[in-house]
Amino acid sequence: MGIQGIGANGYPMSYMASRTEKNKPEEEMSNQSWTVKSDSHDVVLHGSESAEDGKVVTAWACVTENTSMTVYQPADFDPAHPIYKVKVWDANGNVTERMVDISKVDPSNCDTIDMYAYSAYLSKSGKCPDALERFMMAHAHHKDMSGKHGTDSLFDKENWLEIIKDVMEMQYRAGNLKGYMEYKKFLQTLEQEKEEKEKKIKSEKEESRVETNVEVKPDGSRVLVMTRTLGGMATSMSIELSKPTSMPNDAAGKEGLEEITEGMEKKGWTVPDISQVEEQLFGEDV
């Protein structure tokens, strides 16, 4: 668990207490409950745990703006599908809550709240142990350069990949090769995670397909059958295209279907556009 603060110059500092546990499984992380109030600033670093919020993963206070943010691990946390709860307190004590699905965070287009939770996850899971520290420094630098302040700035979406890249290159120009390599590792982790997420989404879309077929029943009625395959499971829906006719049963075979199709073309009939129907029946675009 990390406890951070923002000093007068906007850069991270130790805020009353500081401890970080790295590379430990979720079930081994110790429970901690605390609420720290600064003697010199009117700000409270909230870290109180509860059955509703869960375990505290990390907390961050900005003494220059009297705001704080705490990331919680919910009681029903699933490492295979990590979701964190984030609570943000403004200078007036108003609280904003958000559930952050780590798998959906895009570091090239997300706000400070999502990126803070994502960085906490990367550190706690061991994928990038110093991710949280690197993000804190990059955020402070960006804030200092852009002049964005206040609680509202936490909700502004940013391209953190570019921001971190800028800080990385700044370290190189300053001759700080250690800092350069630390930010490079963080950036590579973010880019790799992003690439893996995009591949997974692409794979899921490729696995999802809809096949259509016009079936002619013995009574001459025609039914449009749509079958959607997703993740190895198939779901079928049917739509009646025409009522029964006096057509003999043996006309329902392949030759009969060809004759029906030819007759439809001569009469100017066409199979209806089912793109809208697919979305209504299956609940999403394919």
Side-chain angles (χ1 to χ4, degrees):
M1 178 188 65
I3 305 174
Q4 298 85 29
I6 300 296
N9 61 352
Y11 285 80
M13 67 172 189
S14 175
Y15 186 83
M16 302 300 288
S18 179
R19 189 167 73 88
T20 302
E21 297 182 62
K22 303 176 181 178
N23 301 321
K24 289 190 176 182
E26 303 295 341
E27 62 272 15
E28 294 182 9
M29 300 301 291
S30 60
N31 274 339
Q32 300 229 359
S33 299
W34 38 261
T35 299
V36 180
K37 182 174 178 59
S38 171
D39 294 331
S40 57
H41 297 85
D42 187 21
V43 63
V44 176
L45 181 59
H46 301 270
S48 179
E49 299 179 346
S50 66
E52 179 182 358
D53 295 328
K55 297 179 181 180
V56 173
V57 177
T58 185
W60 167 18
C62 180
V63 299
T64 60
E65 298 170 6
N66 298 335
T67 61
S68 71
M69 179 160 47
T70 303
V71 178
Y72 297 88
Q73 176 183 297
D76 59 351
F77 180 81
D78 180 5
H81 186 62
I83 297 178
Y84 282 158
K85 181 176 184 177
V86 182
K87 298 177 73 172
V88 181
W89 286 263
D90 66 14
N92 297 317
N94 300 312
V95 183
T96 299
E97 297 185 4
R98 178 189 297 179
M99 302 303 293
V100 179
D101 185 339
I102 302 301
S103 66
K104 296 182 179 180
V105 177
D106 180 0
S108 67
N109 183 34
C110 70
D111 61 19
T112 299
I113 299 171
D114 280 1
M115 192 62 192
Y116 183 54
Y118 187 32
S119 300
Y121 165 76
L122 292 176
S123 289
K124 188 173 181 180
S125 65
K127 292 186 176 183
C128 185
D130 65 343
L132 194 55
E133 182 180 354
R134 299 278 73 79
F135 169 68
M136 290 287 293
M137 292 295 294
H139 174 272
H141 172 73
H142 175 64
K143 179 179 178 181
D144 186 47
M145 297 300 293
S146 65
K148 293 184 177 181
H149 300 280
T151 308
D152 291 343
S153 66
L154 299 176
F155 299 88
D156 294 336
K157 290 189 175 182
E158 308 280 1
N159 186 338
W160 294 104
L161 297 181
E162 289 298 322
I163 293 172
I164 294 166
K165 184 178 180 180
D166 288 343
V167 178
M168 180 185 74
E169 293 176 346
M170 180 181 68
Q171 298 297 318
Y172 183 82
R173 292 192 298 270
N176 182 7
L177 296 183
K178 181 178 181 296
Y180 169 78
M181 293 304 298
E182 289 173 340
Y183 279 103
K184 183 177 181 180
K185 181 181 178 181
F186 183 32
L187 180 63
Q188 289 176 336
T189 300
L190 292 173
E191 291 176 336
Q192 182 179 353
E193 288 276 307
K194 179 177 171 61
E195 183 178 352
E196 290 177 356
K197 290 178 183 178
E198 292 174 346
K199 287 182 177 179
K200 183 178 180 180
I201 293 174
K202 182 179 179 181
S203 176
E204 290 175 348
K205 287 184 177 180
E206 290 176 349
E207 291 179 359
S208 176
R209 66 179 186 276
V210 173
E211 297 178 348
T212 61
N213 183 43
V214 177
E215 295 183 358
V216 180
K217 296 184 177 181
D219 61 5
S221 61
R222 291 176 299 112
V223 177
L224 175 64
V225 179
M226 293 180 291
T227 302
R228 179 181 183 179
T229 303
L230 177 61
M233 299 183 64
T235 304
S236 295
M237 302 291 291
S238 60
I239 299 177
E240 185 180 54
L241 298 179
S242 66
K243 299 295 183 179
T245 67
S246 58
M247 180 184 65
N249 291 345
D250 59 358
K254 181 177 180 182
E255 296 180 359
L257 180 58
E258 292 176 350
E259 292 177 3
I260 293 173
T261 303
E262 182 179 351
M264 290 171 60
E265 293 175 349
K266 289 181 179 180
K267 295 182 179 180
W269 295 353
T270 58
V271 176
D273 178 8
I274 61 170
S275 59
Q276 298 297 324
V277 177
E278 289 177 5
E279 182 177 351
Q280 293 176 10
L281 293 178
F282 296 114
E284 60 182 65
D285 295 331
V286 293

